[in-house]
Amino acid sequence: MRWVADWHESEGLKADGVIVMGVRPNERLANALQRAGISNRDLARRVNVRAAAAGLNIAIDCARVGRWLKGEHPRDPVPGIVAEVLSQKLGPLTLADLGWSHTGIDPMDPLWSPDGAAHSLHEYARSDLMLSRRDMAQLAVGLPLIAAAERLWWADPPAGTTAPGPAARVGKEDVAGIEQLVRHFRDLDGRHGGALFRAAIVAQLQDVTELLAHGRTSTPAVDRRLRQTAVDLAQLAGWTAHDAGYYGTAQRYWTHAITLARQAGDPGRGAEVMSRLAHQMVYLGRPDDALQLLDVAGRTAAAAHNLRLTAMLTAQRGRMLAAVGDAQASLATLAQAQEHLARAEESGERVEEWIAYFTAAELAGATAVAYRDLHTLHGKPVGRASIHFAAAIEQRGAGYERVRAMDMVGMAAAHLEEDNLEEACVVAGQALDLAERLDSTLIRSRVLTLATATDRVSSHPQVVELHQRLGGWAAPDLHAA
């Protein structure tokens, strides 16, 4: 595919290969070029070389770079390639550092039309595939993130759905096949960790969003069902990006997913994706942000009337309250989650696939992490975390190898904190044997908590070998999970 670079300035519209942003000069791009000591001609050459190496037929010249500096915005994947080229000179850069975003659209804009949201996500997925080893998206945190989450669900979107196009051809059977593929991806992610299959998930998401963007569904009901499938794929793409350590990329997939869930009229899926944003924030050491995101998710979930979803969100809140050190509220909230889950099990309500992972084992794991955080972060021992980790492991079904490894590592760390050194070493050895077979930043982060727990007893004869084995795991840029 050749990316044509014709600029229709008088029209002020999206042209082939560019998005016209007006006449404001791009000062951030100019500053980056000056700091890098790269001329317009040299940047064009480097972009063309990098694009060719990625198998793209892109032709950029120095005049094109000049128009970027005047305010023109190139289409994906060109911005990402420019950021990668300049990052080689200046260190890691995001698109925002260069005055750009993917497709020139705010990735947290809730006012996309149905086809606009699908198109934006399609372009983002395509760019992600082109530059799969880079995280170009700027991470939103604090008030901007909370405000965006509010807007994503509660702002009034344009009405209507994408009208079927002339090539409408996707029917119920086609969507059923894609749904089956999503189940397969979920299973692979749980068994092996997400990094290995991330590109395949993103590629499938790109295909699905292309169908949505061009109105290639046969009926409104099929369109809604395919849009829900796109939500599931975007959630998975975000989760696997998060598991690979691409936090900004994960956030962008999730914000797109929330918009698609709103357009599909599916508050349950929307609230579940919001909980992923909250999980990421507590993982990155921002539990206050996580609690506010869960407030938004809870209001969104109210319309879904799903007891299992309510139980999951309540358990997440209990964990976040532990992270901020509120022991009393954390324990009370976790007890409420137990009650909600019991009602869900007794009610006979349909277990939706997107929330089926939340079981008694998942609740036990959240409780264990809460107990751990209260003790290790805030000096508030409320009970033995190892008991809850053990319960999670015992109740965990087949196919959840990543979370099983995380629970086992957590249990080993808890045994160390509880001075059960012999049991800790046995469990830790088994956990690391399993963890070494999986590709997951989340597991490596959980190992960090175990390495930290061994520090105070590293000279003990029973722990020396374990401490040495952990030396190759605990990278300094990981967060405790």
Side-chain angles (χ1 to χ4, degrees):
M1 178 182 296
R2 184 177 182 85
W3 290 77
V4 183
D6 294 332
W7 190 35
H8 303 295
E9 183 174 14
S10 61
E11 297 178 14
L13 298 173
K14 187 182 296 184
D16 289 340
V18 303
I19 296 173
V20 177
M21 300 296 288
V23 297
R24 288 188 60 183
N26 189 335
E27 295 178 357
R28 292 187 184 183
L29 178 60
N31 179 264
L33 286 175
Q34 183 178 14
R35 288 188 293 120
I38 293 178
S39 67
N40 293 10
R41 188 177 303 279
D42 191 25
L43 177 63
R45 181 187 63 79
R46 290 170 185 254
V47 168
N48 292 337
V49 169
R50 177 64 186 89
L56 300 172
N57 186 13
I58 292 177
I60 303 296
D61 58 23
C62 63
R64 170 61 50 198
V65 176
R67 290 198 286 270
W68 295 344
L69 292 168
K70 292 179 180 178
E72 178 184 292
H73 191 307
R75 283 185 59 187
D76 290 334
V78 175
I81 296 174
V82 174
E84 184 174 16
V85 165
L86 292 177
S87 293
Q88 294 171 355
K89 288 278 190 177
L90 303 175
L93 294 170
T94 68
L95 299 190
D97 294 328
L98 302 179
W100 290 334
S101 65
H102 287 279
T103 71
I105 299 170
D106 178 359
M108 295 186 177
D109 182 359
L111 298 179
W112 284 320
S113 64
D115 59 334
H119 175 76
S120 176
L121 182 52
H122 174 76
E123 293 292 324
Y124 190 82
R126 177 168 59 183
S127 178
D128 186 18
L129 284 174
M130 300 298 182
L131 304 167
S132 61
R133 302 306 299 173
R134 306 276 305 174
D135 187 14
M136 292 297 178
Q138 187 175 27
L139 186 71
V141 298
L143 288 177
L145 174 60
I146 309 307
E150 290 273 6
R151 295 196 311 271
L152 284 168
W153 192 266
W154 295 104
D156 291 331
T161 58
T162 307
R169 54 184 174 81
V170 178
K172 291 186 294 185
E173 295 80 6
D174 302 298
V175 178
I178 299 171
E179 290 169 342
Q180 182 59 41
L181 190 57
V182 172
R183 295 185 194 101
H184 184 56
F185 283 142
R186 281 199 189 106
D187 181 65
L188 290 173
D189 173 59
R191 289 181 183 275
H192 303 287
L196 186 62
F197 306 100
R198 196 176 84 84
I201 293 169
V202 173
Q204 185 61 49
L205 175 61
Q206 183 183 357
D207 289 344
V208 169
T209 51
E210 182 177 19
L211 295 174
L212 288 169
H214 292 89
R216 293 181 183 171
T217 50
S218 56
T219 67
V222 170
D223 183 272
R224 180 176 186 269
R225 189 171 161 188
L226 186 62
R227 205 167 291 271
Q228 289 171 317
T229 304
V231 173
D232 295 341
L233 283 167
Q235 185 259 74
L236 266 175
W239 186 246
T240 54
H242 176 70
D243 196 18
Y246 301 156
Y247 307 123
T249 297
Q251 193 178 75
R252 292 310 184 265
Y253 279 122
W254 289 332
T255 53
H256 278 97
I258 294 168
T259 297
L260 289 171
R262 186 195 66 212
Q263 292 174 350
D266 196 332
R269 277 182 166 89
E272 198 281 335
V273 176
M274 287 182 194
S275 78
R276 305 277 171 161
L277 290 169
H279 182 281
Q280 184 184 66
M281 286 298 104
V282 77
Y283 173 79
L284 295 175
R286 302 185 65 93
D288 291 324
D289 288 359
L291 283 168
Q292 292 184 73
L293 285 166
L294 286 176
D295 287 340
V296 182
R299 294 197 300 274
T300 302
H305 306 291
N306 186 298
L307 291 171
R308 191 173 298 270
L309 173 63
T310 300
M312 183 275 288
L313 294 174
T314 306
Q316 284 292 309
R317 175 170 292 280
R319 179 188 171 184
M320 308 312 175
L321 288 167
V324 299
D326 192 337
Q328 183 176 357
S330 174
L331 296 180
T333 304
L334 289 168
Q336 291 173 0
Q338 184 72 53
E339 294 171 3
H340 289 314
L341 183 58
R343 285 201 293 271
E345 299 286 3
E346 294 166 2
S347 70
E349 75 173 2
R350 178 182 174 183
V351 180
E352 302 287 352
E353 291 186 18
W354 48 265
I355 193 62
Y357 66 86
F358 190 77
T359 62
E362 194 71 13
L363 176 55
T367 303
V369 172
Y371 276 47
R372 178 203 71 187
D373 286 351
L374 286 168
H375 183 196
T376 61
L377 299 181
H378 303 288
K380 298 179 179 180
V382 294
R384 294 175 56 196
S386 62
I387 293 176
H388 297 285
F389 278 120
I393 294 167
E394 181 180 355
Q395 298 176 82
R396 194 76 69 183
Y400 294 93
E401 298 308 299
R402 175 180 54 205
V403 71
R404 186 188 304 278
M406 293 175 67
D407 287 339
M408 291 178 69
V409 172
M411 183 166 70
H415 278 307
L416 284 172
E417 294 290 344
E418 297 160 11
D419 291 323
N420 301 324
L421 302 188
E422 183 176 354
E423 184 68 16
C425 292
V426 171
V427 175
Q430 296 170 346
L432 294 177
D433 287 343
L434 176 57
E436 286 166 356
R437 301 200 299 267
L438 304 172
D439 187 2
S440 168
T441 295
L442 291 171
I443 290 177
R444 292 194 292 274
S445 298
R446 183 63 63 87
V447 172
L448 176 60
T449 67
L450 177 58
T452 301
T454 64
D455 286 343
R456 66 180 181 85
V457 290
S458 59
S459 61
H460 194 285
Q462 292 178 296
V463 184
V464 169
E465 183 179 348
L466 173 60
H467 190 69
Q468 292 174 344
R469 185 175 180 184
L470 287 168
W473 278 83
D477 59 336
L478 294 177
H479 303 269

